[in-house]
C-alpha cells in the first residue's frame, strides 16, 4: 500500500519538472539573442526606440499622453516597466512582442502595457 507521504513526494517532484525546465532554459535562449535594430521591420511597425526620448510623439501620441485610469503618463513608460519585458542582462531584456531580440530597458514601443 502506498502512503500519502509517498504520493505527495512524487507528485510534487513531477509538478516541479516543467517549472525547472522553463527556469533552466530561459537564460540559454537569451544568451543567443542579439540587440534589436531600430530598423527591424517589427521595431519600425511598433515605434520601438532604444531611448524612449527619441520616440516620434506625433506618430505615437501614447508616448506623450497624460496619466489616466489605465496607464501611467507616456513619459513614465519604458520597456523595463512593461508587462511584456523580462531583463536578461543589465540594461537589456527580452520582449514578448519582439521575439528573438533584446530590447533596451529604457526603450519604448507602442505596445507598452503595465505590469499586472
Amino acid at each position: 500500500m502506498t502512503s500519502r507521504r509517498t504520493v505527495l513526494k512524487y507528485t510534487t517532484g513531477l509538478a516541479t519538472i516543467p517549472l525547472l525546465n522553463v527556469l533552466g532554459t530561459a537564460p540559454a535562449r537569451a544568451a543567443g539573442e542579439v540587440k534589436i535594430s531600430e530598423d527591424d521591420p517589427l521595431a519600425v511597425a511598433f515605434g520601438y526606440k532604444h531611448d524612449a526620448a527619441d520616440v516620434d510623439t506625433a506618430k505615437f501620441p501614447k508616448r506623450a499622453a497624460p496619466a489616466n485610469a489605465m496607464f501611467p503618463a507616456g513619459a513614465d513608460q519604458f520597456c523595463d516597466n512593461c508587462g511584456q519585458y523580462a531583463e536578461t542582462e543589465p540594461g537589456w531584456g527580452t520582449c514578448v512582442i519582439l521575439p528573438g531580440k533584446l530590447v533596451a530597458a529604457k526603450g519604448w514601443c507602442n505596445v507598452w502595457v503595465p505590469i499586472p
Side-chain angles (χ1 to χ4, degrees):
M1 181 167 199
T2 305
S3 72
R4 186 181 328 169
R5 181 176 293 177
T6 302
V7 171
L8 285 174
K9 182 171 66 172
Y10 287 114
T11 56
T12 304
L14 289 173
T16 60
I17 290 172
L19 179 61
L20 292 174
N21 187 33
V22 170
L23 294 175
T25 60
R29 280 192 305 248
E33 294 172 339
V34 296
K35 295 175 182 172
I36 193 166
S37 165
E38 290 181 354
D39 297 327
D40 182 284
L42 277 177
V44 171
F46 295 129
Y48 171 80
K49 295 291 183 183
H50 294 306
D51 182 349
D54 295 340
V55 173
D56 180 355
T57 55
K59 191 171 180 181
F60 298 100
K62 179 179 173 181
R63 175 71 183 144
N68 62 44
M70 291 186 63
F71 300 111
D76 296 328
Q77 299 174 7
F78 298 95
C79 290
D80 67 357
N81 64 10
C82 176
Q84 314 203 63
Y85 175 85
E87 186 176 72
T88 56
E89 61 184 74
W92 294 88
T94 57
C95 175
V96 174
I97 300 301
L98 301 167
K101 305 285 173 88
L102 296 176
V103 296
K106 292 303 174 192
W108 182 89
C109 86
N110 200 43
V111 192
W112 184 95
V113 294
I115 296 172

